[in-house]
Amino acid sequence: YRLALQALGYEVDGGALVLLQEMLEEAGFDCHRVDRNGTPNLFARWGEKGAARSFGFNGHTDVVPPGDPASWTHPPFSGAEIDGVIWGRGATDMKSGVAAFVAAAIDFVRETPPADGAVILTITGDEEGVSRDGTIALLDWMRETGETMQVCIVGEPSNPEIMGEMIKIGRRGSLTAQITATGRQGHAAYPHRALNPLHALVRLLAGLTAAPLDEGTAHFDPSGLQVTTVDCGNPASNVIPEKATAVVNIRFNDLHTGAGLLDRLRDRAAAVQEQTGVTLRVEAQISGEAFLTPDPARVAAFRDALAARPRRTCQKLGQLMIGLGADDDVDRGLAAHDLLALGLGDAAGDGDGHRRIRRRTSTARPHPYITESTNAGCSCKPGSACRVRVRGRSERHERDQGQEGNHGR
C-alpha cells in the first residue's frame, strides 16, 4: 500500500505532515522533515536547541486499514462532522491526539512562552506499519544533530474509560513468527504416498496455544501467543499440499526476551518435525523487547500534576499500568534513547472512528478544532446521557439507543 502510493507520487500520510509543518512554522517552530526510506517524519522545536528544560510530544498520522468501507457508519476517510462528532479512520488513533497537542503547543508558546524551555514535537507516518523508519529515525536524527528532550508524552488513546485513568510506564515486547511446513504433495485418496504438512503444522500450533506462556508479573499481564493466519494456497479439495504456512504473534512481558521465545518456538518445531517427518522452519521479526520506565520520581510527579487538574479526572487516576498495545516504534524507541516515555491518551477504541469536537476561538490564530473523546470513554449506558468536563465547563454527551462498545480508532 505504501509503495503503491509512493509510486503514484502521493504523500503516504495524505499530506498531514505538510499541513502541520505550515502551522508550526507560522507559530515560530523550527521544523525539519526527517524522512527515511519513504517514511514521512516531522521534527519541530520551539525554543533554543539544548534548552535546560525540553518537553516533547510524540504521535503519528498514519492509520490502520479501514476494512470494508461499506461497514462504516460514515465513509472512513470522510472526516464527516455529525452532531458535534467527527467520524473517520484515525479519529481516535491518533489524528485527534496529534491535532490536540499541536494546538496546545502553539497556544502555549504564544501565550506563555517559557524563558528557558523548549517544546518539541516528533510526528511520524510509520507507527501502524513496520515501525522501523518512524520514531526510531527521528530519534537517530536527534542524536546525530544534538537535539535533546528530557520528557516525552505519547498521546496514544490508551485510557480504558476516562482521560487520566492510566499512565503507561512501559511496553510489552512483540515478536511475529512465520512458520513454514514442507511435506510431500499427493492425492487425498492415497495419503500413504504423501506427507501432509498441515497435520504437522496444526500439531505444532495446538501445542503452542495449549498453555499460557506465563502468569504475568507485578506490572505486566500474562504474555500472549496468537495464531493470526494459516494458509496453504491449495484450491483443490482432493490434493494434499506440499507446503503450509502460519503466522503467530507474541506480546511478551519482562519474563522473556525475543531471542528466548524464538528459541522456544524452534525447539517446539524441531520436536514436531522429528515426530512427523515434515520439515518445519521458523523465522521471526522482533519489533522490540519489553521495558519499564526506570524513573519513579518523575512518573510520580507527572501523576501528581494530573491529579491537580480539575478536568475529567477519574477517582482511580494515574494507575501505573503497562502498555498492552502495538506502539513498538514509539515507546520502545524513546526508552532505548534514555528518555522518560509516558503514554497518556484519551479513551482507546476500535472499529468505526468517531470523536467529539468543539469549535474554538482565541486571541491568537484560531485552530479549527480541539478534540475531546466521546466514544466508549464514558460510562453511560445506551440511551442515557452523561457530562464530561471540557476546559472547565460541562458538555452534554448522549449515546444513541442501541449503541454500545467503542466505535473509535
Side-chain angles (χ1 to χ4, degrees):
Y1 176 71
R2 182 187 299 275
L3 293 175
L5 286 175
Q6 291 172 349
L8 294 172
Y10 291 107
E11 284 267 1
V12 296
D13 67 342
L17 293 186
V18 174
L19 173 64
L20 293 176
Q21 182 171 347
E22 292 174 354
M23 296 179 63
L24 290 164
E25 286 181 337
E26 185 178 332
F29 282 75
D30 182 18
C31 295
H32 299 272
R33 284 293 291 263
V34 191
D35 298 6
R36 188 167 81 181
N37 294 329
T39 295
N41 300 305
L42 177 65
F43 174 90
R45 171 178 42 78
W46 185 95
E48 294 298 323
K49 180 178 180 179
R53 296 186 300 159
S54 296
F55 186 90
F57 286 105
N58 177 274
H60 64 92
T61 54
D62 61 327
V63 297
V64 295
D68 183 4
S71 298
W72 283 68
T73 305
H74 303 283
F77 295 107
S78 66
E81 183 184 342
I82 310 295
D83 297 328
V85 175
I86 195 164
W87 292 79
R89 173 58 86 220
T92 297
D93 187 8
M94 62 170 293
K95 290 183 177 180
S96 293
V98 172
F101 70 58
V102 167
I106 291 175
D107 280 353
F108 177 68
V109 301
R110 280 179 166 161
E111 298 170 6
T112 56
D116 61 344
V119 177
I120 293 174
L121 309 180
T122 56
I123 307 170
T124 178
D126 182 30
E127 190 273 340
E128 303 288 7
V130 294
S131 299
R132 295 172 183 167
D133 296 305
T135 297
I136 292 174
L138 282 160
L139 291 167
D140 289 344
W141 178 87
M142 289 176 62
R143 184 164 49 188
E144 293 167 2
T145 57
E147 295 283 358
T148 60
M149 55 181 169
Q150 282 74 51
V151 177
C152 184
I153 292 181
V154 182
E156 284 279 351
S158 304
N159 285 271
E161 296 181 3
I162 296 176
M163 178 68 173
E165 178 183 353
M166 180 183 290
I167 305 168
K168 294 198 173 184
I169 60 170
R171 180 66 59 178
R172 294 190 298 186
S174 178
L175 178 151
T176 299
Q178 296 81 33
I179 305 171
T180 303
T182 304
R184 186 169 59 252
Q185 190 184 56
H187 199 285
Y190 305 99
H192 59 285
R193 295 180 177 271
L195 186 59
N196 197 323
L198 281 167
H199 291 181
L201 186 60
V202 169
R203 181 182 297 190
L204 174 60
L205 296 177
L208 292 175
T209 58
L213 292 170
D214 56 67
E215 300 299 327
T217 68
H219 288 289
F220 287 96
D221 285 341
S223 302
L225 182 152
Q226 296 296 318
V227 179
T228 57
T229 182
V230 178
D231 187 43
C232 68
N234 183 13
S237 62
N238 60 347
V239 174
I240 297 170
E242 178 190 13
K243 289 186 177 182
T245 61
V247 175
V248 299
N249 183 263
I250 304 177
R251 301 303 170 99
F252 56 93
N253 58 39
D254 55 350
L255 293 175
H256 307 278
T257 65
L261 288 169
L262 179 55
D263 287 342
R264 180 183 296 195
L265 291 175
R266 287 175 171 164
D267 288 344
R268 295 283 187 89
V272 173
Q273 178 173 311
E274 184 175 355
Q275 296 164 7
T276 64
V278 171
T279 300
L280 289 158
R281 187 179 77 252
V282 181
E283 302 294 335
Q285 296 81 45
I286 301 170
S287 301
E289 302 289 347
F291 78 90
L292 290 172
T293 298
D295 198 334
R298 281 200 285 182
V299 170
F302 185 72
R303 181 170 53 183
D304 292 343
L306 277 176
R309 299 293 295 170
R311 49 189 294 265
R312 285 213 304 149
T313 52
C314 181
Q315 289 183 352
K316 52 183 179 179
L317 175 140
Q319 298 180 56
L320 299 185
M321 299 293 292
I322 294 303
L324 305 180
D327 313 312
D328 308 322
D329 185 23
V330 177
D331 292 347
R332 295 191 192 91
L334 292 170
H337 283 69
D338 198 27
L339 286 167
L340 175 62
L342 296 173
L344 178 73
D346 226 332
D350 297 290
D352 232 8
H354 68 276
R355 177 64 68 98
R356 180 173 295 281
I357 58 176
R358 70 179 178 89
R359 300 291 179 181
R360 181 186 185 284
T361 58
S362 171
T363 54
R365 179 176 182 270
H367 306 296
Y369 305 110
I370 290 291
T371 58
E372 292 292 339
S373 174
T374 64
N375 34 14
C378 69
S379 58
C380 60
K381 303 298 182 183
S384 64
C386 67
R387 291 186 179 273
V388 295
R389 301 297 301 177
V390 183
R391 288 208 173 182
R393 67 180 181 83
S394 180
E395 177 176 311
R396 185 175 178 81
H397 162 219
E398 295 184 355
R399 305 185 78 180
D400 296 333
Q401 288 284 354
Q403 180 187 16
E404 60 182 47
N406 197 343
H407 292 266
R409 180 168 173 80

